[in-house]
Amino acid sequence: MCGIVGYIGKQNAVDVLIDGLRKLEYRGYDSSGIAIVDHTGLNVQKAEGKLANLQEKIKDDNLHSSIGIGHTRWATHGRPSDYNAHPHTSQNGRFAVVHNGIVENYLSLKETYLAGEHFTSETDTEVVAHLLEKFYNGNFEETVVKVLDVLEGAYALVMVCADEPDKIIACRKDSPMVLGVGEGESFIASDVPALLAYTRNCMYIEKGELCVLTRDGITIKNHALEVIEKEIHAIEWDAEAAEKEGFEHFMLKEIFEQPAVFKKTIAGRIQGASVHFDEFELTPEQVQKWKKIYIVACGTAYHAGLVGKQIIEKMARIPVEVEIASEFRYRDPMLDEDTLVIVISQSGETADTVAALREAKKHGCKVMAITNVVGSAIARESDYVIYIWAGPEISVASTKAYTTMLIAEYLLGVYLAQQKGMPNAEERAAILDGLQNLPEITEQVLTDDYLAQIQNAAEGFKDANDIFFIGRGFDWAIALEGSLKLKEISYIHAEAYAAGELKHGTLALVTEETPVIAICVQESTYDKTASNIKEVKAREAKVLAIINEGDDQAQKFVDQTLSIPKINNFIAPVLAVIPLQLISYYTAKARGCEIDQPRNLAKSVTVE
Ligand code: F6R
């Protein structure tokens, strides 16, 4: 999704902006641009495509200024192009604006306030620049407030005014932004990695606040332009954590980080045979009150929810429904105070999930978030938060965030059962024991030997047009995640089916041309899945099975196997999904795909 950077201080703003935008490339974008205030007034440069195109365009211009704003755009209103790229300017070139989100009433604003004006782009954002000019009364801050009063929608806005070249003004509603506090310089960005090279001191901006950045510091004001005191937080992510550390792609690096981040997700939360969360405590009465749970999320986080349903239902015996966030709020779900809504989101900013959270709150439900990003909208607006502590995930295809979401769900399942007073203490202790062993066991699927087997399997998949994933129960839930991963980075059409469902229609598509990846890890469904594998084998499909170490049956009815080390079967999904992540990675690599930034996709989806 779009990235924003703003800078005012002692360095050349052009260098800081380009460097910051490069750190945000992982968000996905289709064009970029910067605006600086120099001796000519506002100087705006933009280019479609990669940031390198913008750098090429300005390389001989010797641009220099101590103030500027920059943007990487992911198209919503208007196709990717130079003219739709941000920053956008007012008619007289006095104001420049960069924007993340959507101004929903931009058409009616054009009609009401800007009739007859000439627009140079198809964007909703350009309306904001024109309104600044229209409402300008010689005071930049007051003018911004007047513009905000008429805007509807979601936005993070950063603005400069050629007449007041000693300040940047920023504000947000629903789209994220973070301020960086420097010495003699101030920064703003849509995401922390853009700041890390310059400062570790940051401030989070709340909805409706106005930030005035100058060389001497940052002032936060409310709507009445009264100053608000803000706490400065230290950013704990180090710059190195946002680099590739020698791996060819962020995705592979993040797959390899899993054992280490599993330790972080668990750290301090398992105390003897029970679970404790620093972030909140639930009383037995509270947990007993919840007669139903909804898990609401999108994409990979939704797939994590499908595993979570099975964990919570089994451990805490509370019925759970899992819903896609973009569907949930439009179908009038039956929510009340006896319902807990769990929202899962790596970024904590996914627009559909945020909207679902607000819908749940409207009905008086308590909302629990499972998220990675401290200070994100979802973290701020939920009643209880479980952080997955996965660290920055740069690859668009999520890996370590997914597996740490599962770990958070195991901890939560045990916690709800324990607080509810369920009699399954022994089972809970076994799960916690398994979770503690998980980091070490995971190392065993990240050896050179194992990777060589997977690369070999990927060679067999790279020319396929369609691949099916099958499994039952937990194995089906991770099959869904495996198929999403494969399609998003390798562009091979992949579908996941509950293994028993194939014969009700989809089996008609299975031929020798459609490889099948079967997940046969769950002991309780092993025999049934084996029967379904025989059905696809009878149609000449080549089958790769993910099995438990020591399974000497599978070789007899599949073409190839990849085993995972033996672990408590209930927590095996965390381990069994890792070969699926690696199959996607090596298949995409064998096809020469751009793995970390797949086409048409963005890391953080802040539009509905
Ligand atoms: C796929 C992927 C997406 C996200 C989805 C929700 O690899 O990462 O499907 O899971 O866009 O994002 P978050 O978790 O940030 O709400």
Side-chain angles (χ1 to χ4, degrees):
M1 198 60 52
C2 307
I4 286 179
V5 183
Y7 175 75
I8 180 163
K10 50 204 174 191
Q11 307 182 52
N12 184 0
V14 178
D15 299 335
V16 179
L17 297 177
I18 297 285
D19 180 56
L21 292 178
R22 186 169 303 111
K23 299 277 168 30
L24 298 182
E25 283 191 290
Y26 68 92
R27 292 169 70 96
Y29 68 104
D30 51 51
S31 52
S32 61
I34 57 169
I36 55 170
V37 187
D38 62 14
H39 61 282
T40 63
L42 263 185
N43 187 336
V44 180
Q45 302 289 337
K46 332 194 227 189
E48 188 183 339
K50 294 286 175 199
L51 197 56
N53 300 355
L54 177 66
Q55 284 179 282
E56 180 60 27
K57 193 168 178 181
I58 62 176
K59 78 174 190 306
D60 298 325
D61 294 350
N62 199 21
L63 298 178
H64 206 282
S65 168
S66 60
I67 172 172
I69 57 179
H71 191 262
T72 45
R73 174 174 187 259
W74 187 74
T76 53
H77 292 72
R79 65 177 187 84
S81 65
D82 282 12
Y83 62 86
N84 280 332
H86 299 208
H88 289 288
T89 50
S90 55
Q91 283 197 123
N92 59 8
R94 182 185 279 140
F95 293 96
V97 179
V98 292
H99 167 221
N100 285 358
I102 292 178
V103 178
E104 281 167 7
N105 61 336
Y106 79 107
L107 286 175
S108 74
L109 289 172
K110 267 187 182 179
E111 266 174 38
T112 313
Y113 299 103
L114 308 168
E117 297 205 2
H118 173 68
F119 289 86
T120 56
S121 78
E122 299 152 327
T123 67
D124 48 334
T125 306
E126 194 180 356
V127 166
V128 178
H130 281 232
L131 286 173
L132 286 167
E133 177 185 322
K134 186 89 186 173
F135 295 169
Y136 191 49
N137 62 355
N139 182 315
F140 190 9
E141 292 174 29
E142 285 173 15
T143 306
V144 170
V145 172
K146 280 194 210 156
V147 172
L148 296 184
D149 283 344
V150 298
L151 293 189
E152 285 169 21
Y155 51 78
L157 288 165
V158 182
M159 298 154 275
V160 284
C161 172
D163 289 2
E164 302 188 35
D166 52 0
K167 63 173 74 155
I168 294 174
I169 298 189
C171 52
R172 61 167 286 271
K173 185 180 157 220
D174 300 328
S175 296
M177 250 183 336
V178 56
L179 292 159
V181 183
E183 279 182 26
E185 53 188 357
S186 304
F187 306 81
I188 186 156
S190 52
D191 227 16
V192 164
L195 305 178
L196 285 179
Y198 304 99
T199 180
R200 295 190 159 273
N201 295 326
C202 79
M203 293 195 282
Y204 295 102
I205 314 170
E206 291 303 323
K207 191 167 153 177
E209 291 174 348
L210 197 86
C211 313
V212 185
L213 288 79
T214 68
R215 290 170 190 86
D216 301 327
I218 300 171
T219 313
I220 317 277
K221 299 187 175 179
N222 62 16
H223 187 264
L225 294 178
E226 295 154 345
V227 174
I228 303 170
E229 288 307 318
K230 273 264 158 175
E231 213 182 317
I232 296 181
H233 299 267
I235 302 173
E236 305 211 334
W237 290 352
D238 58 357
E240 246 187 56
E243 305 284 336
K244 284 189 205 156
E245 287 170 10
F247 287 96
E248 197 176 340
H249 296 95
F250 280 113
M251 183 177 176
L252 191 61
K253 170 180 170 280
E254 288 158 6
I255 290 173
F256 270 77
E257 279 172 356
Q258 290 178 109
V261 295
F262 291 175
K263 282 189 195 151
K264 290 190 183 156
T265 313
I266 295 164
R269 289 170 167 171
I270 300 180
Q271 300 183 349
S274 54
V275 169
H276 153 91
F277 291 106
D278 275 347
E279 297 95 329
F280 60 86
E281 191 177 340
L282 299 173
T283 61
E285 296 70 43
Q286 273 170 302
V287 180
Q288 275 153 6
K289 182 170 144 50
W290 290 323
K291 299 287 172 278
K292 181 167 184 177
I293 294 178
Y294 276 102
I295 299 183
V296 188
C298 304
T300 284
Y302 167 76
H303 293 156
L306 295 173
V307 177
K309 168 186 167 72
Q310 299 182 53
I311 297 170
I312 294 170
E313 287 189 344
K314 174 126 175 61
M315 296 310 302
R317 306 309 289 162
I318 305 172
V320 181
E321 282 193 37
V322 191
E323 297 253 354
I324 293 171
S326 55
E327 293 291 320
F328 179 73
R329 68 191 281 229
Y330 295 108
R331 64 163 197 82
D332 196 12
M334 289 188 284
L335 300 169
D336 58 31
E337 288 172 4
D338 295 341
T339 312
L340 171 69
V341 174
I342 302 176
V343 288
I344 309 180
S345 173
Q346 184 281 129
S347 62
E349 299 290 349
T350 300
D352 286 319
T353 313
V354 174
L357 179 164
R358 290 180 185 153
E359 181 70 18
K361 297 223 73 157
K362 240 197 279 170
H363 287 81
C365 304
K366 289 284 185 211
V367 175
M368 179 179 286
I370 297 180
T371 186
N372 196 24
V373 182
V374 179
S376 60
I378 284 175
R380 287 197 310 270
E381 294 185 33
S382 297
D383 299 287
Y384 318 106
V385 183
I386 302 177
Y387 289 108
I388 56 176
W389 301 127
E393 192 177 63
I394 307 289
S395 161
V396 167
S398 182
T399 52
K400 61 176 180 168
Y402 172 77
T403 43
T404 49
M405 283 168 186
L406 301 195
I407 292 176
E409 290 172 334
Y410 284 106
L411 293 170
L412 177 63
V414 169
Y415 181 77
L416 291 175
Q418 145 201 320
Q419 299 305 93
K420 207 177 155 188
M422 302 282 295
N424 51 4
E426 218 171 289
E427 208 179 342
R428 297 198 307 259
I431 292 169
L432 298 183
D433 198 43
L435 288 178
Q436 277 169 317
N437 294 330
L438 191 59
E440 203 180 317
I441 293 178
T442 306
E443 303 277 3
Q444 295 172 30
V445 293
L446 297 171
T447 59
D448 288 348
D449 238 24
Y450 201 73
L451 295 192
Q453 286 180 57
I454 292 182
Q455 284 183 59
N456 178 34
E459 280 302 310
F461 295 135
K462 74 174 197 304
D463 298 317
N465 289 322
D466 311 281
I467 296 182
F468 287 101
F469 288 70
I470 58 171
R472 286 169 177 252
F474 273 150
D475 288 344
W476 175 35
I478 64 162
L480 284 158
E481 175 57 8
S483 80
L484 176 66
K485 219 84 306 177
L486 186 73
K487 61 190 144 198
E488 73 178 314
I489 61 167
S490 76
Y491 314 144
I492 296 176
H493 170 242
E495 293 299 335
Y497 273 86
E501 184 67 11
L502 266 188
K503 58 184 172 295
H504 298 289
T506 310
L507 195 57
L509 295 177
V510 174
T511 68
E512 60 185 338
E513 305 286 318
T514 49
V516 173
I517 298 176
I519 297 93
C520 310
V521 167
Q522 287 305 305
E523 285 154 5
S524 58
T525 51
Y526 184 92
D527 291 341
K528 297 283 179 211
T529 306
S531 306
N532 302 131
I533 292 175
K534 287 171 193 158
E535 289 162 8
V536 299
K537 281 301 301 168
R539 274 81 191 173
E540 311 284 335
K542 294 265 178 309
V543 179
L544 163 73
I546 310 292
I547 56 168
N548 288 313
E549 202 174 62
D551 171 357
D552 49 13
Q553 291 304 304
Q555 270 101 345
K556 297 180 188 156
F557 54 88
V558 303
D559 301 278
Q560 214 178 347
T561 57
L562 272 174
S563 62
I564 58 162
K566 208 73 183 115
I567 193 167
N568 178 327
N569 209 230
F570 194 63
I571 62 169
V574 186
L575 205 54
V577 79
I578 297 175
L580 303 184
Q581 296 170 343
L582 288 164
I583 289 171
S584 305
Y585 175 80
Y586 283 112
T587 306
K589 192 169 167 219
R591 286 164 66 87
C593 299
E594 201 177 328
I595 293 175
D596 284 332
Q597 288 177 40
R599 69 184 180 210
N600 306 341
L601 299 178
K603 185 67 185 164
S604 177
V605 186
T606 50
V607 290
E608 284 179 48

